[in-house]
């Protein structure tokens, strides 16, 4: 099972990245192959609404040859997707919203007699802010994904208002870990296995994962000193 983490923040060591890493590590512990991508790592052209046209039509793959197309292919291949975004004025960041608009090509396959290509994928949502709007932001994400045919697992959202210190927010961190754990378990259930979808409150697991994330952020700081602001799937 493949779980894709989509980072909606320009800060690869920020609060959204911290909680996304926690969620991915949860999914990994339940046997998922994980990958982390950022919407800030390439150009994602805004949707031009082909859905209204006869030609070109809105279908997968999207007509644009850009970084957005690469991300859409990764979404198509994934069994589970975790969005993690900063709260930018009570909403996801701009580039993430643009990617979501572009996901219309996956959903609009219904217009071609096929199921939505988002149908049956398991999706979780994380938002990190400094003040207000995190619940609105995760609410937007899960409502939109459900409307595209995705399945939201129990305890499928996590949020923190501690900004760059989200990693020190025990409740948010445990919630993020549970998104990954429960997402992977739900994917297994959908594949015919028997699993229990219970929230896990495990302080040892929390500290273990927090330590791993701090270690990775430390490595990132070293990398940043050399001017490399990159984070990749191979890093985790
Ligand atoms: C353009 C912009 C808009 C923001 N709007 C909000 C907001 O509505 N609510 C909030 O709680 N924080 C808001 N913030 C603060 C960020 O959500 C906060 O700094 C967050 O930690 C950023 O996530 P990151 O550390 O993963 O980059 C805003 C920040 C920016 C740059």
């Amino acid at each position: 099972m493949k779980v894709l983490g989509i980072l909606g923040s320009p800060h690869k060591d920020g609060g959204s990245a911290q909680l996304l890493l926690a969620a991915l590590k949860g999914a990994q512990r339940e046997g998922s192959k994980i990958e982390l991508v950022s919407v800030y790592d390439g150009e994602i052209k805004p949707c031009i609404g082909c859905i209204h046209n006869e030609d070109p039509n809105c279908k997968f793959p999207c007509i644009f040859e850009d970084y957005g197309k690469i991300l859409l292919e990764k979404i198509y291949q994934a069994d589970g997707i975790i969005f993690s975004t900063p709260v930018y004025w009570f909403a996801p960041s701009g580039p993430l919203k643009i990617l979501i608009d572009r996901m219309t090509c996956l959903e609009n396959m219904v217009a071609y007699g096929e199921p939505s290509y988002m149908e049956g994928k398991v999706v979780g949502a994380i938002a990190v802010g400094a003040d207000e709007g995190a619940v609105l932001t995760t609410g937007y994400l899960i409502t939109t994904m459900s409307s595209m045919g995705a399945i939201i697992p129990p305890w499928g959202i996590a949020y923190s208002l501690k900004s760059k210190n989200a990693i020190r927010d025990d409740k948010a961190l445990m919630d993020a870990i549970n998104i990954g754990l429960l997402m992977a378990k739900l994917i297994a259930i959908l594949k015919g296995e028997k699993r229990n979808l219970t929230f896990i409150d495990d302080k040892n697991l929390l500290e273990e994962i927090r330590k791993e994330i701090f270690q990775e952020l430390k490595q990132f700081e070293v990398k940043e000193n050399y001017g490399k602001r990159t984070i990749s799937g191979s890093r985790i």
Side-chain angles (χ1 to χ4, degrees), residues 25-44:
K25 284 174 185 296
Q28 196 173 37
R29 274 163 171 77
E30 279 298 321
S32 304
K33 194 169 166 284
I34 57 169
E35 184 177 4
L36 192 158
V37 292
S38 167
V39 293
Y40 282 86
D41 277 349
E43 188 192 12
I44 307 174

Side-chain angles (χ1 to χ4, degrees), residues 12-13 213-230 235:
K12 289 170 179 173
D13 56 351
I213 296 170
F214 269 129
Q215 199 59 34
E216 290 186 29
L217 295 176
K218 218 164 100 186
Q219 287 168 18
F220 174 78
E221 276 162 24
V222 172
K223 277 186 181 172
E224 204 174 28
N225 287 339
Y226 288 91
K228 290 180 188 167
R229 289 187 64 86
T230 53
R235 213 174 59 88

Side-chain angles (χ1 to χ4, degrees), residues 17-119:
Q18 294 161 10
L19 295 190
L20 182 56
L21 282 170
L24 287 172
K25 284 174 185 296
Q28 196 173 37
R29 274 163 171 77
E30 279 298 321
S32 304
K33 194 169 166 284
I34 57 169
E35 184 177 4
L36 192 158
V37 292
S38 167
V39 293
Y40 282 86
D41 277 349
E43 188 192 12
I44 307 174
K45 292 192 173 110
C47 175
I48 55 165
C50 303
I51 202 160
H52 290 296
N53 301 348
E54 287 293 321
D55 187 25
N57 327 84
C58 179
K59 64 196 291 194
F60 181 76
C62 178
I63 55 160
F64 287 124
E65 296 290 339
D66 62 355
Y67 178 59
K69 189 172 186 176
I70 294 169
L71 294 185
L72 290 169
E73 177 63 30
K74 286 183 186 291
I75 290 169
Y76 175 64
Q77 295 292 340
D79 300 301
I81 301 142
I82 305 167
F83 293 97
S84 187
T85 182
V87 181
Y88 280 1
W89 294 116
F90 301 85
S93 67
L96 181 56
K97 175 60 168 68
I98 290 174
L99 178 66
I100 290 168
D101 290 346
R102 291 276 299 276
M103 286 172 67
T104 308
C105 70
L106 294 161
E107 185 273 338
N108 198 51
M109 294 311 291
V110 294
Y112 296 88
E114 292 193 48
S116 161
Y117 284 2
M118 285 303 293
E119 195 171 293

